[in-house]
């Protein structure tokens, strides 16, 4: 059995952290080591239906607008603030090679 000092060297953390992990393991078992946000979407995630609506709106109606201008249109019309970088990432994921101009 390793000492706590040896465990700190192996895990790269402090003795206090080792003590907290041991207590957590005794109380919760292996579940105690799983991150609390596992399986949750970030608070800033845009709902999929709105994301798809924005993408199709750009492709069908505003493909001549640059991303920055279109993001301003989305904010005024839909009331959703997205960045041009987010729109660029979405369009790349859709397979659309567009410049954000």
């Amino acid at each position: 059995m390793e000492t706590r000092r040896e465990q700190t060297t192996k895990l790269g953390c402090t003795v206090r952290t080792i003590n907290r992990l041991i207590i957590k393991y005794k109380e919760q078992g292996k579940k105690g080591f799983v991150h609390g946000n596992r399986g949750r979407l970030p608070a800033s995630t845009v709902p999929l239906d709105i994301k798809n609506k924005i993408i199709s709106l750009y492709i069908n109606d505003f493909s001549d607008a640059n991303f920055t201008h279109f993001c301003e249109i989305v904010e005024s019309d839909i009331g959703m603030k997205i960045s041009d970088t987010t729109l660029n990432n979405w369009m790349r994921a859709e397979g659309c090679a567009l410049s954000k101009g």
Side-chain angles (χ1 to χ4, degrees):
M1 183 85 179
E2 296 177 334
T3 66
R4 295 211 174 134
R5 178 90 39 215
E6 292 169 337
Q7 292 169 345
T8 61
T9 305
K10 196 176 213 177
L11 295 176
C13 57
T14 64
V15 174
R16 182 172 182 255
T17 301
I18 295 293
N19 291 336
R20 283 184 21 256
L21 291 172
I22 290 170
I23 290 169
K24 192 180 253 190
Y25 180 75
K26 287 179 181 177
E27 291 174 354
Q28 300 175 16
K30 290 181 182 178
K31 284 185 178 180
F33 296 116
V34 176
H35 194 279
N37 286 341
R38 184 177 183 182
R40 295 183 190 158
L41 293 175
S44 61
T45 301
V46 176
L48 189 58
D49 59 330
I50 293 175
K51 176 182 171 182
N52 290 336
K53 180 180 178 181
I54 291 170
I55 291 171
S56 68
L57 187 66
Y58 184 84
I59 291 171
N60 297 327
D61 300 332
F62 294 97
S63 58
D64 56 337
N66 66 43
F67 286 171
T68 304
H69 182 235
F70 179 69
C71 290
E72 293 168 359
I73 293 169
V74 168
E75 185 174 7
S76 65
D77 289 356
I78 299 177
M80 168 88 38
K81 185 171 176 68
I82 60 168
S83 69
D84 57 342
T85 305
T86 298
L87 182 62
N88 189 22
N89 291 337
W90 290 352
M91 299 309 285
R92 285 178 187 262
E94 288 293 315
C96 299
L98 303 169
S99 64
K100 70 177 187 178

